Structures are given as structure tokens and as C-alpha cells.
Amino acid sequence: RLGAEGVKRADPSARVATAGFAGVGVDRVDGLYRHVYANGKRPVDFADILCVHYYSGKQQPEVATLDRNATRTGDAEPGAPTYPESLRQLMDWRDDFAPGKPIWLTETGNDVGGPMGLGEWEQGAKIPRVTMLALAAGIDKVFIYRECGSTPAQHAGAGLMRDDDTYRASWFTFATLIRQFVGVAPGRAWRIAHPDPDVWVHVWMRDGKPFVTAWTLGKETDLGLDLGKCE
């Protein structure tokens, strides 16, 4: 609170962001509303932007129930929400207790070769999906950790480039995502129901027209949807 008040005194137009909470679960941010100061104000009243972090580790983000950066030991509780479910709960919490305030995913990525990740190809496949799932839920901005780094350790090997500045697959998959999403309207996308739960299809609006992203988990299959005339 003191820091936020000091920022506003120095520059009333400055935007104050919270610290980046490890994890996207509501339990991580709920204290911003539940804590009440003596004058009735709450920590969320002093924040313009809410910030969270997320790492799916070795799990697939669509079904991941544990963030290894937030929970270093133990397993997820039975029935724990998945990453997409946690994102929806987080956005609902925002709408109830901090309406209109943007949420930024200020740190996400995937380590390579360390205890919290898989290989380069898996990293290249997962980072765009983690990003799209966040944007589809209504997250306003996504920051990837990190630009460069390939030393196998906790997140030190999470670079889109290796230590020698050569490009990994993730550099190209993420660059493709960025190019394709130019002109995509902010706000939530809707997921098209599919008989195969491993098929994920989202519809966005790009330059005023529907824009579809689709992928499947761990297997080849047919999309099986009649999209009509499309490009």
C-alpha cells in the first residue's frame, strides 16, 4: 500500500501492478480482496493491474492440475482444477472483486532439460498453447520467460534461444503465434465443443472476421468440423 501510494504521488498517471503471484489459482490472489485495512480499503484498491505466473512443468497445460513453480513438493489434490479451469475461476474472481482491472500473465514458459520441463520439441508445442489458453480466458497480456537460456536447471533452460543465440523450435512456433494474432480482438474466445476432449478448437475475432485455432493432444486425428468456406 505504501509503495502504491508513493507511486501515485510521484505520478498520478502511473499504473501500479501487483507482484507476480506464483500460480493462477484464486487462492493465490484472494488476499488482495479479503485483507481489509483499518479504513476499510483493501490491497486490490491500490492495484491497477493484477499479475500472476504459470508453469505447467512436464504436464500438458490443457490437463495440468499442478504448477511446479508454485508447489515444489507433493501432488495435486484429487479433483484439483486444471489450468484452463483455474483461469476461468481467476477471471470470475476478477469480475466479482476487481471488475475492469486487467490481469497479466507476467511469467510463463517451459524449461528444457531441467527438473521442470521436457525437450525442445515439447517446449515448442506447449508455449503457444499456454499462451492461447490464457488469452482465450481473457488474460490481457502474456510474458514469456525467457528470451535466451539453455542451461539445464530450474527455468534456466527455458529460453526461446539457446545460450549460443541459436533458435529453438519454440522461437518459430511463438513467432508464428504472434504473426497470426495481429489484429485479434482482445477479450475471451469461445471453445467449440468437440466429441474428442483432446481436440481444442477456439474461435477468435481477427480484423472483424472469425479466426480459428485448433490442436490435439498427443495423437493425430481429424478435426471433423464443417467450417464452411474459409481461408
Side-chain angles (χ1 to χ4, degrees):
R1 173 177 179 172
L2 292 174
E5 290 175 332
V7 167
K8 293 296 187 179
R9 282 196 300 270
D11 182 358
S13 67
R15 292 200 292 172
V16 175
T18 67
F21 290 91
V24 296
V26 168
D27 61 310
R28 302 284 166 171
V29 301
D30 201 37
L32 292 173
Y33 179 79
R34 299 299 172 191
H35 182 79
V36 181
Y37 295 111
N39 67 347
K41 290 281 190 177
R42 304 168 189 266
V44 72
D45 296 327
F46 299 92
D48 302 305
I49 302 164
L50 312 179
C51 300
V52 292
H53 295 174
Y54 181 76
Y55 290 89
S56 65
K58 296 184 178 181
Q59 305 172 91
Q60 300 302 323
E62 296 80 4
V63 296
T65 56
L66 194 65
D67 182 336
R68 273 298 177 207
N69 193 46
T71 306
R72 302 294 173 83
T73 60
D75 299 319
E77 295 291 331
T82 63
Y83 170 56
E85 291 168 344
S86 293
L87 286 171
R88 288 195 294 271
Q89 293 171 5
L90 178 63
M91 303 311 293
D92 289 343
W93 179 92
R94 188 276 309 273
D95 292 344
D96 288 339
F97 302 118
K101 294 191 177 184
I103 298 181
W104 291 2
L105 184 60
T106 48
E107 197 178 304
T108 190
N110 200 246
D111 192 40
V112 173
M116 298 176 66
L118 299 170
E120 288 194 2
W121 289 106
E122 287 85 359
Q123 181 202 43
K126 289 174 66 176
I127 287 179
R129 286 153 44 206
V130 167
T131 302
M132 285 188 286
L133 289 170
L135 296 175
I139 297 291
D140 291 85
K141 290 182 182 290
V142 177
F143 297 72
I144 300 299
Y145 185 86
R146 52 194 277 187
E147 181 183 20
C148 184
S150 55
T151 303
Q154 183 173 305
H155 301 319
L160 303 182
M161 295 189 299
R162 304 179 188 92
D163 287 338
D164 61 3
D165 291 341
T166 55
Y167 299 140
R168 285 174 161 170
S170 56
W171 174 278
F172 298 99
T173 58
F174 196 64
T176 299
L177 172 68
I178 291 171
R179 288 195 299 269
Q180 292 296 323
F181 269 67
V182 171
V184 168
R188 303 180 188 185
W190 63 94
R191 184 183 177 190
I192 295 178
H194 196 281
D196 185 342
D198 288 335
V199 175
W200 289 71
V201 186
H202 289 93
V203 179
W204 318 72
M205 294 303 294
R206 183 177 66 182
D207 296 327
K209 298 178 181 179
F211 169 61
V212 176
T213 58
W215 66 88
T216 183
L217 302 186
K219 62 185 179 184
E220 292 186 4
T221 188
D222 292 327
L223 182 60
L225 294 176
D226 182 5
L227 300 177
K229 185 179 179 180
C230 62
E231 179 180 344

